Amino acid sequence: MSTENKEKESLFSAKRRKLITDPLNDNNPVTVQVLGICSALAITVQLKPAFFMFLGVLTVIAMGNVIISLIRDLIPSRVRIIAQLVIVAGLVIIVDQVLKAFVYDVSKQLSVFVGLIITNCIVMGRLEAFAMANKPWPSFLDGVGNSLGYGIILMIVSIIREIFGAGTLTIPTGINTVYVLHVFPQSFYDLGYVNNGLMILPPMALIVVGMIVWAHMET
Amino acid sequence: MNKENNVYIIVFSVIMVVVVGVSLAFVAQFTKPFQDANIRLEKMQNILSSVGIIVDRTTAEETYNKYITKSEVYKVDGSLQEGVDAFGIDLANELKKPEDQQLFPIYECKKEDGNYFILPMRGKGLWGPIWGYVSLKDDGITVAGAVFDHSGETPGLGAEISKAPFQEQFINKKIVDESGQFVSITVEKPGKLPEGYEYGVDGISGGTLTSVGVHNMLHRYLQAFRNYVEKNNILSPVTPTANITNDTLQLDSTTVITEQ
């Protein structure tokens, strides 16, 4: 962090805090930049896989940003996209292997979508737009900020879909444990309430994401 | 140094790929034992779930050792194969061998309400492999439970074989008819089977090829199981002996669900 001292800029200066807070709202990668929609549709049926997908993306973007930022002066600009791709793909495989070893259920649920983190536009977008031109620490913050922005949307969508689609909320309480909250009491169902099966299907995810984008644009 | 000349780019690329490759190899080596343990425990969970015991992965090993009392390995003609660990057999590898060399594992389960045979099986679906575990009561005829899974069947169609409504149909079906003939369990188009038919279940509408896959898989593994039962006199002598001829086999294969 010697470069940090030279600049005399504190680790969490106002400018750097903005790197984290900006993507949460004003420059949200999903609702404003409309990136990473594919995975937002695929793994938001339940809260738990959405949460672990967020952790996976967080790891990949944060580490990818730092690594690319560290070697940004070494990367020839003609092959920079390939270099970014190799690093992201390597990180994603590492995340996949670690999930398979330590959180097997989650890895089964995420199945191919872990591999598809590689194609999540947010990852390459941040590497190309930020890490290639900034120092490691700001790049790290930018990665964390953007994956948080992505994660928030994932959480919101999955909570809505799970509550109305399955009537439950699976809150991860540990790596392999989960607390299943039954949102509606049995008396609700006795009165004739039925879970909405459409919520479980991908089209409804698109509609929910669309409504969130709309609500976000309006405010 | 000029970063844009070709030599630099090639050297850079080679170093990058080697570094990434080495770190991936390291991670793969490090996580392998943990991954293998998970796959092993999942297999135990699947075996137990075919006799209705649902366990957490953390307690799978303990429960498995408590209930699964014996395992054996036999060949397609029913003859026993000694000295092979049933649990270690990978059916995917077995299917690549010539038929007479393939090994079929079987597990015996002692539960409070009786003893069961558990047969692992594997076959072809529409897009990829399908597999499952079928448990039979100790009469060797009546199905006690069945679980199936797949790697890539169409969601909502073929993939329904992994859901309870399809699997629950198998309970109390019989694989041998009253005269002692082996009949397997037919997976037929919904509505084709007579009400209360004891030897068949409804397939998946729109998932015909996956249903055919299940049908063929059941036929093959249940047949081998009957061979094993008869050859080794596993059951009490009151059990009717199945007499399998080529005629009945032919007859059976014509009842396979026709293409839509």
Side-chain angles (χ1 to χ4, degrees):
Chain A
M1 289 290 148
S2 58
T3 51
E4 302 301 315
N5 296 335
K6 250 185 272 170
E7 280 190 332
K8 300 262 185 328
E9 193 177 354
S10 77
L11 279 181
F12 291 100
S13 65
K15 201 175 101 201
R16 292 191 172 159
R17 278 203 306 273
K18 222 170 145 33
L19 288 176
I20 293 206
T21 55
D22 237 20
L24 295 188
N25 191 8
D26 295 342
N27 201 12
N28 189 289
V30 183
T31 59
V32 178
Q33 300 177 27
V34 198
L35 298 173
I37 294 290
C38 166
S39 55
L41 306 186
I43 43 90
T44 51
V45 175
Q46 280 192 328
L47 181 57
K48 185 183 161 188
F51 181 72
F52 283 97
M53 182 69 173
F54 152 63
L55 288 185
V57 170
L58 175 73
T59 317
V60 171
I61 304 190
M63 287 174 66
N65 260 4
V66 169
I67 293 171
I68 288 292
S69 173
L70 282 171
I71 60 170
R72 69 186 187 280
D73 294 331
L74 295 172
I75 301 175
S77 65
R78 271 200 282 162
V79 294
R80 67 183 195 285
I81 299 286
I82 294 172
Q84 291 162 9
L85 200 59
V86 169
I87 302 237
V88 172
L91 283 171
V92 165
I93 293 171
I94 290 173
V95 167
D96 188 31
Q97 297 290 314
V98 170
L99 284 180
K100 265 192 196 138
F102 301 109
V103 268
Y104 189 66
D105 296 295
V106 177
S107 126
K108 276 199 78 174
Q109 282 214 24
L110 294 178
S111 63
V112 295
F113 297 108
V114 176
L116 289 180
I117 294 177
I118 301 170
T119 62
N120 190 326
C121 317
I122 303 172
V123 183
M124 290 286 281
R126 291 333 288 169
L127 295 184
E128 175 71 4
F130 198 91
M132 283 300 284
N134 286 280
K135 296 208 176 71
W137 177 244
S139 300
F140 176 76
L141 294 180
D142 177 77
V144 172
N146 272 284
S147 39
L148 282 175
Y150 168 75
I152 284 178
I153 302 299
L154 234 56
M155 299 292 112
I156 297 174
V157 176
S158 61
I159 287 173
I160 295 174
R161 288 182 72 191
E162 195 179 351
I163 287 182
F164 294 106
T168 56
L169 209 51
T170 49
I171 302 160
T173 49
I175 281 179
N176 268 330
T177 52
V178 58
Y179 175 73
V180 180
L181 179 75
H182 290 270
V183 182
F184 302 110
Q186 187 56 43
S187 54
F188 248 70
Y189 292 99
D190 295 340
L191 285 172
Y193 175 79
V194 186
N195 290 326
N196 185 350
L198 183 60
M199 274 288 178
I200 306 280
L201 301 172
M204 208 54 204
L206 191 63
I207 293 169
V208 172
V209 172
M211 291 203 291
I212 292 173
V213 173
W214 179 26
H216 193 223
M217 295 283 181
E218 289 292 308
T219 50
Chain B
M1 190 172 173
N2 178 12
K3 279 201 300 176
E4 299 309 319
N5 78 35
N6 291 343
V7 177
Y8 179 85
I9 289 177
I10 290 168
V11 171
F12 174 85
S13 308
V14 168
I15 292 175
M16 179 178 71
V17 167
V18 168
V19 169
V20 171
V22 167
S23 43
L24 285 184
F26 176 78
V27 171
Q29 281 297 317
F30 173 73
T31 54
K32 186 135 201 333
F34 298 100
Q35 294 178 4
D36 289 348
N38 282 333
I39 290 165
R40 199 179 125 82
L41 291 175
E42 191 192 23
K43 191 170 177 181
M44 289 178 173
Q45 276 182 308
N46 283 336
I47 292 173
L48 290 171
S49 70
S50 72
V51 285
I53 307 172
I54 307 298
V55 285
D56 213 57
R57 190 156 31 255
T58 44
T59 54
E61 176 124 41
E62 195 187 317
T63 322
Y64 178 87
N65 290 336
K66 182 176 157 203
Y67 287 109
I68 306 296
T69 49
K70 192 177 156 196
S71 64
E72 280 191 309
V73 179
Y74 54 91
K75 289 188 172 169
V76 70
D77 62 357
S79 55
L80 279 181
Q81 176 83 22
E82 302 289 340
V84 184
D85 172 30
F87 195 80
I89 289 179
D90 183 358
L91 287 178
N93 289 339
E94 295 304 315
L95 283 174
K96 289 176 196 147
K97 296 183 190 169
E99 181 150 28
D100 59 336
Q101 285 172 30
Q102 289 182 16
L103 299 176
F104 297 74
I106 182 168
Y107 305 94
E108 280 172 36
C109 167
K110 260 194 174 55
K111 247 174 82 176
E112 290 81 5
D113 59 352
N115 298 344
Y116 299 93
F117 298 105
I118 301 172
L119 312 174
M121 44 185 70
R122 190 180 176 92
K124 283 194 201 111
L126 170 59
W127 302 112
I130 52 175
W131 59 89
Y133 295 87
V134 171
S135 65
L136 292 134
K137 291 190 179 150
D138 54 4
D139 60 3
I141 290 175
T142 317
V143 177
V147 288
F148 300 105
D149 210 347
H150 61 94
S151 67
E153 298 308 299
T154 320
L157 300 175
E160 294 294 303
I161 60 163
S162 63
K163 303 264 171 76
F166 177 71
Q167 298 175 3
E168 280 164 2
Q169 298 183 87
F170 284 86
I171 296 169
N172 289 330
K173 297 291 176 192
K174 293 189 164 49
I175 64 169
V176 174
D177 71 9
E178 276 151 14
S179 64
Q181 296 273 26
F182 169 73
V183 288
S184 182
I185 294 193
T186 308
V187 183
E188 204 23 299
K189 256 187 201 170
K192 282 241 172 142
L193 294 173
E195 193 76 17
Y197 187 64
E198 277 195 302
Y199 316 106
V201 297
D202 286 343
I204 310 285
S205 300
T208 306
L209 289 172
T210 311
S211 304
V212 172
V214 175
H215 174 96
N216 293 341
M217 172 172 85
L218 284 167
H219 193 281
R220 192 172 128 72
Y221 284 86
L222 291 174
Q223 168 97 71
F225 167 73
R226 287 307 301 181
N227 293 347
Y228 157 79
V229 164
E230 276 141 30
K231 200 152 199 156
N232 302 292
N233 285 321
I234 302 295
L235 307 170
S236 51
V238 285
T239 316
T241 48
N243 176 23
I244 300 139
T245 62
N246 278 336
D247 289 347
T248 56
L249 275 181
Q250 226 117 55
L251 195 76
D252 221 60
S253 57
T254 54
T255 62
V256 172
I257 313 154
T258 44
E259 293 288 322
Q260 280 184 342

